[in-house]
Amino acid sequence: MIRVRTGLGAAALAAITVLGVAALPNGAAVAGDTGLRGAARGTGVKIGTAVDMNALANDAAYKEAVAAEFNTVTPENVMKWSEVEPTQGTYNWGPADDLINFARRNGQAVRGHTLVWHSQLPSWINETDFTKAQLRDLLRRHIFAEAGHFKGKIWAWDVVNEPLNEDGTLRDTIWLRALGPGYIADAFRWAHQADPSAILFINDYNAEWLSPKTDAYYQLVKDLRHQGVPVQGFGMQGHLGIQYGLPGDVLENVRRFDALGVKTAFTEVDVRMILPTDQYRTQAQAEGFGLMLRACLLVKNCISYTVWGFTDKYNWVPGVFAGEGSATPMDEQLQPKPAYDTLRETFLLAR
């Protein structure tokens, strides 16, 4: 199903080349659309970024770019359980509230990240000090506390993050061991009760192409919705590495979730490479960013495309993958790379 759009629409999207984007007819550009936020206007897809709150507070150029380039923001860390409740019963909402207020001032929607995850838990959450029944109650209390605190202020929540293995089986986590497989359904029901207006997503990496993992997600989402569980969206993180090749079946994968009637989104997009970079790697990176955006624009229910940080100045990749980096659309001086141009021009072609 091709989304009906104004302007050039699907026909122009089909003209996008492998290593970039075809030129607009007669070199035409839309007045005032000088960045990603302006370019995305009218396409039906929001453009977002994950936000480093320290950079937002201390780097004026970074802050200006977040406001100018994006119409949604996602907290990198400040809404994770370890940050909001570092000590049991003592909450630290301040940094997340700061992001909410920043977004409100700049007309941006906020994507909440994340309510249930096996990682970045506070140190006091463990299977030694609590029974399974107590852990269930703690998870329920956490969801109601956090989703309740931000009720009406969050556009979409990543409710359950990374619950499956690569082979499609359930990941062995504290939540699976304590609550059993039903914890996923419980989490969505609790989140919906706490904030009925938020769009609720299940979210994972390596979820962009056809695979045993995405087959399992398709069946899981289908089964949960059949049971009346309010799973309203499927989030594909979009962490790619050009050294592994770029997937060719992203659109096919997105289309099948679109056919289920759920929202879809690319939620944490970056495309890393082995350093040093060169023109061939940066062009391949641009295609990685572009192929995921095109897949989003070419279906009915894909609602947002979020990069996991927009500048190499503040990026997680070098600290996790030795010898790799340059994963974002802007360099360390916040100058656009070919990937940035591909994103902007692809949005303009879809208007």
Side-chain angles (χ1 to χ4, degrees), residues 34-250:
T34 59
L36 298 178
R37 181 171 180 164
R41 190 177 300 118
T43 66
V45 173
K46 294 182 182 295
I47 179 68
T49 186
V51 176
D52 180 320
M53 291 304 292
N54 288 328
L56 193 73
N58 298 300
D59 187 329
Y62 177 93
K63 181 177 182 179
E64 181 179 353
V66 173
E69 296 281 354
F70 305 100
N71 53 25
T72 72
V73 290
T74 302
E76 281 191 355
N77 289 298
V78 298
M79 288 187 186
K80 292 172 180 173
W81 196 344
S82 60
E83 301 297 316
V84 300
E85 194 182 4
T87 302
Q88 187 176 4
T90 302
Y91 294 97
N92 176 30
W93 302 118
D97 285 339
D98 289 344
L99 181 60
I100 294 284
N101 292 333
F102 174 86
R104 181 174 296 173
R105 291 193 300 271
N106 290 285
Q108 296 166 317
V110 179
R111 185 180 186 89
H113 180 78
T114 176
L115 292 174
V116 182
W117 195 23
H118 60 275
S119 186
Q120 289 186 253
L121 294 171
S123 59
W124 56 268
I125 289 283
N126 61 75
E127 294 171 274
T128 301
D129 296 330
F130 300 102
T131 65
K132 292 181 177 181
Q134 288 171 329
L135 284 169
R136 175 184 171 84
D137 185 60
L138 286 170
L139 183 61
R140 180 183 181 279
R141 287 174 181 269
H142 166 67
I143 292 173
F144 273 92
E146 181 155 16
H149 177 83
F150 297 114
K151 182 179 181 180
K153 301 176 182 178
I154 298 293
W155 172 59
W157 267 112
D158 291 327
V159 177
V160 180
N161 197 47
E162 302 173 3
L164 297 189
N165 296 310
E166 296 305 299
D167 63 0
T169 58
L170 287 170
R171 186 189 294 273
D172 182 19
T173 70
I174 186 173
W175 307 121
L176 180 64
R177 293 189 296 270
L179 282 68
Y183 84 90
I184 297 174
D186 287 340
F188 276 93
R189 291 188 178 106
W190 295 333
H192 184 64
Q193 291 169 24
D195 188 355
S197 65
I199 305 169
L200 305 182
F201 277 77
I202 195 165
N203 187 56
D204 212 329
Y205 62 88
N206 291 350
E208 300 78 33
W209 56 85
L210 299 175
S211 69
K213 187 175 190 177
T214 51
D215 290 346
Y217 267 117
Y218 179 86
Q219 193 61 48
L220 176 62
V221 171
K222 184 177 181 180
D223 291 346
L224 288 172
R225 287 173 61 82
H226 182 73
Q227 297 165 28
V229 178
V231 180
Q232 298 156 342
F234 179 60
M236 298 154 283
Q237 292 181 10
H239 297 294
L240 302 183
I242 61 170
Q243 63 270 30
Y244 304 114
L246 300 176
D249 50 9
V250 174

Side-chain angles (χ1 to χ4, degrees), residues 244-255:
Y244 304 114
L246 300 176
D249 50 9
V250 174
L251 178 57
E252 186 178 354
N253 186 48
V254 179
R255 277 178 169 158

Side-chain angles (χ1 to χ4, degrees), residues 238-241 268-275 277 285 289 292 307-318 321 324-331 337 339:
H239 297 294
L240 302 183
E268 304 182 18
V269 178
D270 52 29
V271 183
R272 66 186 188 272
M273 64 187 72
I274 296 173
L275 300 174
T277 185
Q285 177 187 61
F289 277 96
M292 288 184 279
V307 294
W308 200 250
F310 62 92
T311 169
D312 294 339
K313 188 175 182 180
Y314 307 102
N315 188 246
W316 68 283
V317 169
F321 297 98
E324 300 182 33
S326 192
T328 74
M330 293 185 182
D331 66 20
K337 301 178 189 176

Side-chain angles (χ1 to χ4, degrees), residues 276-312:
T277 185
D278 59 37
Q279 63 175 327
Y280 303 105
R281 291 173 180 173
T282 58
Q283 289 290 354
Q285 177 187 61
E287 170 58 13
F289 277 96
L291 72 87
M292 288 184 279
L293 180 56
R294 295 195 298 272
C296 185
L297 288 164
L298 286 167
V299 299
K300 179 181 179 181
N301 294 318
C302 188
I303 60 175
S304 68
Y305 181 101
T306 297
V307 294
W308 200 250
F310 62 92
T311 169
D312 294 339

